[in-house]
Structures are given as C-alpha cells and as structure tokens.
Amino acid sequence: QIQLVQSGPELKKPGETVKISCKASGYTFTNYGMNWVKQAPGKGLKWMGWINTNTGEPTYAEEFKGRFAFSLETSASTAYLQINNLKNEDTATYFCARSGVRRRYFDYWGQGTTLTVSS
Amino acid sequence: DIQMTQSSSYLSVSLGGRVTITCKASDHINNWLAWYQQKPGNAPRLLISGATSLETGVPSRFSGSGSGKDYTLSITSLQTEDVATYYCQQYWSTPYTFGGGTKLEIK
C-alpha cells in the first residue's frame, strides 16, 4: 500500500537547522510530485511548495523562499525539507503530500512532523 | 495568488442531519478544487477532487458540487466520525491555496 512516512518530532533552538524526511513506498517515486505543507498550532494549512521528483527542480511559495530547501534522495524514495536559521514562527507541523503530474491534488499525506523552535 | 474563502469557520449540526460547506475562489479555477478532511492529530485526508469526484473509500454521504468560483461540500446523514475540520484547496495555479477551514461539530 502507498505510504509516506515522515521523521520524528524535532526540538530546536532559534538559529539552528532542521532536516525533515519523507520516505515513500508502494508506488514509483518519480511518477509523482512531492509537496510540503505547513500547519502552525491551531491554524490552517499552508502550501510551501513542491519538488519535481523527476528533475529535482523545486518550486517555493513566495513566503518560503530563502531559508527553506526541498531535496531528494531518489534511490531511497525519500524527499527532504530543510529549514535554516530557525525562527520561533517555524514552530508547526510539517506534512509531505504526493501529487499527480497534471492533477495536482494531494492524494496521500505523511503523518506530519512536529517542529518546536524554542530557546 | 488565488484566495480561497470558506465563509463558515464553524458549523454545528445534529446527528443524522445534512450540512453544506461553501468555498469561494477569488478567480475561476476550472473545477480544479479538492476537499480534505482533517481530524485532530491526524494528517488531512483527500475526500473529493475535481470538485465532484469522490475518492475511493469515501462514504457516499459526501458529495461535491460547483463550478467557476463557487463550490460546496455536502454531507448527509451526519455521523459522529464526521466531526473534523474541512478544507477546500485549489490546484489550478501555484501557489496552491487552501481555504481557512470549517470545523464541524455535532449539536
């Protein structure tokens, strides 16, 4: 069955770096894009961007340009989200979510990774 | 950017009742509209894509309709397991934007 399994919760200090993983199984990794979605505590869903798993080309929503980086380890069917120079407002749950090449709704989601940034 | 507006942030409905959740896009999105259900502590779950196509395994009491800028999610015969927050999302153009969510509770 199709699964996206994310890495565990993270507790970081401001200014540090975190790298969250999303391991896919049950389908051909490079046939679907991978999106990242942020959900701050008690808030709604915000699309951060996506990465083309064929080319490795990332696309970032405007708010997430600069400190955020999407990457891949295709041989391991794994996508990564790295956040540099962490800020308190990065405290949130981060989800990876698969999307089709053309119809880019999110049909499978990871379980979410909770990131807490606190001094 | 296309803004998605869910007019109700909270709805309270009787068990067995019917509820309609509305979503309005700031521009035409060609029915490229998805609905997700999120229960506390869980990831969102895709219910409907293409405005009207029910995903496999989703109960038939869920349905989607709409066109142009205006879309709705309807739930009939409300069950306790339907208590959740529902989000619409447009995937017509990037950035793919979500509505603010509608929290559904049992009256």
Side-chain angles (χ1 to χ4, degrees), chain A residues 34-101:
Chain A
M34 193 66 76
N35 299 264
W36 290 94
V37 176
K38 177 182 179 180
Q39 187 168 39
K43 301 296 186 183
L45 304 169
K46 186 173 289 187
W47 181 74
M48 302 173 67
W50 75 292
I51 186 165
N52 184 320
T53 55
N54 258 312
T55 65
E57 180 183 3
T59 299
Y60 301 98
E62 196 63 35
E63 178 181 341
F64 298 99
K65 290 179 179 176
R67 297 187 298 115
F68 301 82
F70 308 147
S71 61
L72 303 171
E73 187 178 351
T74 305
S75 62
S77 299
T78 301
Y80 297 95
L81 164 64
Q82 181 167 315
I83 311 174
N84 301 315
N85 187 22
L86 283 164
K87 304 180 185 305
N88 291 332
E89 53 263 38
D90 295 326
T91 294
T93 298
Y94 293 86
F95 296 99
C96 59
R98 188 187 85 159
S99 63
V101 173

Side-chain angles (χ1 to χ4, degrees), chain B residues 20-100:
Chain B
T20 297
I21 298 170
T22 61
C23 177
K24 187 175 184 70
S26 61
D27 202 351
H28 289 270
I29 55 172
N30 199 32
N31 289 6
W32 288 40
L33 188 283
W35 288 99
Y36 302 89
Q37 175 193 64
Q38 187 180 30
K39 298 182 180 180
N42 287 3
R45 172 196 181 193
L46 176 66
L47 298 177
I48 287 170
S49 62
T52 60
S53 297
L54 202 64
E55 291 300 300
T56 302
V58 176
S60 58
R61 62 179 182 275
F62 290 86
S63 64
S65 65
S67 62
K69 297 181 184 180
D70 295 297
Y71 299 88
T72 60
L73 171 70
S74 296
I75 312 171
T76 58
S77 302
L78 196 72
Q79 307 293 306
T80 53
E81 60 262 32
D82 301 333
V83 169
T85 300
Y86 294 85
Y87 295 93
C88 60
Q89 180 216 15
Q90 66 82 18
Y91 52 96
W92 172 246
S93 68
T94 59
Y96 302 138
T97 42
F98 293 88

Side-chain angles (χ1 to χ4, degrees), chain A residues 102-118:
Chain A
R102 187 164 179 267
R103 305 283 178 175
R104 293 186 183 169
Y105 49 84
F106 304 165
D107 57 355
Y108 286 89
W109 293 65
Q111 82 276 19
T113 296
T114 299
L115 168 66
T116 303
V117 182
S118 174

